Amino acid sequence: MTEKTAALKKDFEMQILAAKNTADLESIRVGFLGKKGFVTTLMQGLNDIPKDKKREAGQAINTLKQFIEEAIENKKEELAKLEWQKKIDSSESYDESLFCSSEKGSYHPITLIQREVEKVFETMGFVIENYSEIVDDYQCFESLNIPKHHPARDMQDTYYLSTGQLLKTHTSAAQNAIMKKYGAPLRAIFPGRCFRNENIDACHENTFFQMEGIMIDEDISISNLIYFMKTLLSEVFGKNMDVRLRPGFFPFVEPGFELDIKCLICDGEGCPSCKDSGWLELCPCGMIHPKVLEYGGIDTEKYTGFAFGLGLTRLAMMRYGVKDIRIFNSGNLKAFSQFEG
Ligand code: FA5
């Protein structure tokens, strides 16, 4: 039996080495581990083996099975990385010099990515809310535990209207209204355009999109938050992403985190798209501050919740391999006609 498993291992190693894409990998997996696969057949044949040899044979098959499963997982990661890099390097990602067809319209890449993220959250029971771009000071700051003269306001200077209203600086501005509208328990996402007085560069715009998400229920903890973030990223990118979680301060969450993803443009080497850090700030998040829940009319004795503020425009940069954020607001049809919806 050990000879048989050794031969199968060799055969498997040759096949996996030759695998060029995820479809090849799947057919190898089925060939070895599927219902009629080599390993499964060996397993089923165990009954016919003499009692004194059964234990050794069983162990050999299990070791082989584990080896195959691990090798397939590793190869999957490796291929996904290669396929992603190919996409970024090739014309499948955005190419400034490509011919533009004026006959056919296409969706803006932000619309495409927004719909993709919405789909992921919809299947997890989140409602989708639209919220106004013009808000008041209470919605944008006070209800988020950012009183007048709080230093956190300095980070979010914006455009003020003569009415005293302002263009919202972050989608968090809708938290209070949505809590009041639905009460608890609550799962909601609310995408929207945000405005800030920014120094514009390859990863900062003065007008950009975020998608806020909140989940409020009994016993919600940081592990729920991490689960939802991981699910989102692996669904959008089709692979496990390299992420890092750092402590981050936002007056409306406690504790608060910054979730960064490894820059896919330079694979963590450092480039203008990630300000040479190799990482891109994508999704700050945290447990909603009890004061914010109270302002939203939520019973803090009973409920806790998490919130996140996903940088949708930055997500689109990474998803489509767009190296400069300014493309998105450029109105450049040559660029947009390449995105299929
Ligand atoms: C906020 O806006 C918080 N409201 C997010 C939040 C929500 C924290 C809920 C905790 C709980 P921040 O200013 O870091 O945080 O922006 C969030 C994300 O929006 C950033 O990580 C980034 O991806 C994106 N973003 C921020 N400023 C810009 C900009 N000027 N251009 C493009 N994207 C931006």
Side-chain angles (χ1 to χ4, degrees):
M1 177 58 76
T2 42
E3 278 154 29
K4 250 189 203 167
T5 52
L8 269 184
K9 187 175 175 207
K10 209 164 180 191
D11 188 21
F12 169 77
E13 282 173 332
M14 273 162 56
Q15 288 197 32
I16 202 155
L17 206 65
K20 289 199 174 58
N21 49 42
T22 37
D24 288 352
L25 201 59
E26 179 57 10
S27 78
I28 297 172
R29 191 194 64 77
V30 172
F32 282 84
L33 302 177
K35 263 190 189 160
K36 294 184 179 156
F38 299 124
V39 178
T40 320
T41 314
L42 272 190
M43 208 68 116
Q44 285 159 353
L46 268 179
N47 285 340
D48 307 329
I49 287 180
K51 235 180 175 176
D52 59 327
K53 300 226 166 104
K54 216 177 228 170
R55 191 185 152 101
E56 189 192 355
Q59 274 175 352
I61 298 172
N62 266 333
T63 311
L64 175 67
K65 186 169 174 249
Q66 255 176 22
F67 172 80
I68 291 178
E69 281 168 350
E70 269 171 34
I72 285 179
E73 266 320 296
N74 293 340
K75 187 78 181 186
K76 208 189 253 173
E77 285 269 309
E78 184 190 316
L79 286 174
K81 223 173 180 179
L82 279 177
E83 279 167 18
W84 185 259
Q85 199 56 47
K86 217 161 107 196
K87 217 173 175 188
I88 285 182
D89 295 340
S90 75
S91 56
E92 265 186 75
S93 66
Y94 158 71
D95 178 354
E96 215 168 341
S97 63
L98 270 188
F99 168 73
C100 150
S101 157
S102 55
E103 283 169 13
K104 186 175 136 227
S106 60
Y107 284 109
H108 192 284
I110 303 283
T111 305
L112 295 177
I113 197 85
Q114 180 179 323
R115 289 182 177 175
E116 237 181 88
V117 177
E118 283 176 355
K119 236 188 246 165
V120 176
F121 278 100
E122 232 176 354
T123 57
M124 297 193 285
F126 283 68
V127 292
I128 303 166
E129 272 287 324
N130 277 321
Y131 201 70
S132 168
E133 288 172 2
I134 299 175
V135 294
D136 60 28
D137 190 87
Y138 178 78
Q139 292 165 319
C140 204
F141 300 119
E142 299 266 349
S143 68
L144 291 163
N145 197 26
I146 312 178
K148 293 210 163 48
H149 312 299
H150 192 290
R153 289 195 180 211
D154 294 347
M155 310 291 290
Q156 299 198 6
D157 184 20
T158 183
Y159 305 91
Y160 284 81
L161 310 185
S162 51
T163 54
Q165 291 169 301
L166 49 115
L167 299 187
K168 75 170 179 249
T169 58
H170 54 174
T171 40
S172 305
Q175 278 194 20
N176 184 265
I178 287 170
M179 283 180 207
K180 283 178 177 157
K181 177 170 173 187
Y182 290 101
L186 165 63
R187 291 178 186 206
I189 51 168
F190 26 109
R193 199 192 310 261
C194 304
F195 306 84
R196 290 187 198 176
N197 179 9
E198 281 281 10
N199 283 327
I200 292 170
D201 59 27
C203 58
H204 289 88
E205 257 292 4
N206 58 16
T207 306
F208 57 95
F209 283 80
Q210 287 184 345
M211 181 176 292
E212 191 91 354
I214 52 178
M215 179 170 179
I216 301 171
D217 209 327
E218 292 176 40
D219 298 326
I220 293 294
S221 72
I222 295 170
S223 26
N224 299 101
L225 167 64
I226 293 173
Y227 168 77
F228 280 101
M229 293 294 94
K230 277 193 162 168
T231 307
L232 166 71
L233 292 174
S234 59
E235 289 284 330
V236 169
F237 290 98
K239 60 173 185 155
N240 279 333
M241 296 291 292
D242 286 325
V243 297
R244 68 178 187 189
L245 208 58
R246 303 176 279 127
F249 175 71
F250 302 90
F252 37 97
V253 286
E254 179 58 38
F257 305 100
E258 288 282 2
L259 186 140
D260 305 336
I261 59 169
K262 194 192 258 185
C263 178
L264 292 168
I265 305 285
C266 61
D267 200 25
E269 293 289 312
C271 68
S273 310
C274 59
K275 276 193 160 174
D276 290 316
S277 70
W279 295 90
L280 203 74
E281 263 182 34
L282 185 69
C283 189
C285 49
M287 299 303 293
I288 305 175
H289 195 289
K291 262 194 181 170
V292 175
L293 290 174
E294 258 168 41
Y295 293 149
I298 306 287
D299 178 356
T300 51
E301 294 289 317
K302 192 166 173 197
Y303 295 108
T304 49
F306 68 73
F308 61 85
L310 176 69
L312 211 51
T313 309
R314 292 223 182 129
L315 186 66
M317 282 175 80
M318 293 294 111
R319 177 71 168 69
Y320 298 116
V322 174
K323 295 184 176 123
D324 195 315
I325 200 170
R326 287 165 282 204
I327 294 293
F328 292 119
N329 289 347
S330 67
N332 179 350
L333 291 182
K334 210 153 84 170
F336 298 142
S337 64
Q338 293 172 43
F339 296 95
E340 292 292 333

